[in-house]
Amino acid sequence: MTLRTGPKYNNPTYALYLFGVKVTFNGFCSVCALPVYKEETKHHFSETFCTLFDSYDQNDDGFIDHSELEAIFFINDVPKEHALDTFAKIDADTDDKISKGELVAAGLEFVFAQEPTPAGDFFFGPLINCD
């Protein structure tokens, strides 16, 4: 796996808050994205992101709306003010709702993209400077 380069990916002061725990982007990928290029690994991640979607879609309408994403951010200790920007980046077709396909695509970008992508980099909220 080629980890991303640049200050926000390698610098330990930049991190994601994932389930209330601070982890660097490359730290996340080093632990849970091995081996990245095998299709079976992508399949398992896709299944995981489908399960996440089902748990995020609280009203079972087949989409994640703004309030559902804000609730997920709140539960995971990510400031909810980041939810609006994250929502816009994941909502690829700009229909003001996140489909299962959009969430899975963003999740796969987050884990597997070799270069930064708007949706992938915001999958769990923005990378932030923790200094």
Side-chain angles (χ1 to χ4, degrees):
M1 170 182 192
T2 303
L3 297 177
R4 297 183 195 174
T5 58
K8 73 178 182 178
Y9 301 109
N10 295 316
N11 186 331
T13 62
Y14 285 88
L16 296 158
Y17 276 97
L18 184 58
F19 304 107
V21 178
K22 183 171 68 170
V23 293
T24 65
F25 178 84
N26 284 340
F28 173 84
C29 289
S30 295
V31 171
C32 67
L34 299 174
V36 207
Y37 295 110
K38 291 187 176 179
E39 284 305 310
E40 63 197 55
T41 304
K42 285 187 179 180
H43 174 74
H44 291 300
F45 271 103
S46 292
E47 287 181 343
T48 300
F49 296 133
C50 284
T51 301
L52 276 176
F53 179 90
D54 293 341
S55 69
Y56 292 178
D57 180 19
Q58 293 296 300
N59 63 4
D60 294 323
D61 67 350
F63 297 97
I64 297 171
D65 62 30
H66 289 278
S67 64
E68 289 167 327
L69 188 64
E70 285 180 6
I72 294 306
F73 273 41
F74 176 77
I75 290 167
N76 291 309
D77 205 24
V78 177
K80 76 175 191 176
E81 62 264 16
H82 297 301
L84 187 61
D85 196 31
T86 298
F87 193 97
K89 289 183 175 25
I90 295 174
D91 181 21
D93 63 6
T94 65
D95 63 353
D96 211 32
K97 53 190 175 185
I98 297 173
S99 68
K100 186 177 282 191
E102 288 170 326
L103 187 81
V104 170
L108 292 175
E109 284 179 23
F110 175 76
V111 175
F112 294 101
Q114 296 297 309
E115 298 297 325
T117 64
D121 280 0
F122 279 78
F123 187 71
F124 288 109
L127 293 167
I128 58 172
N129 189 332
C130 298
D131 280 345

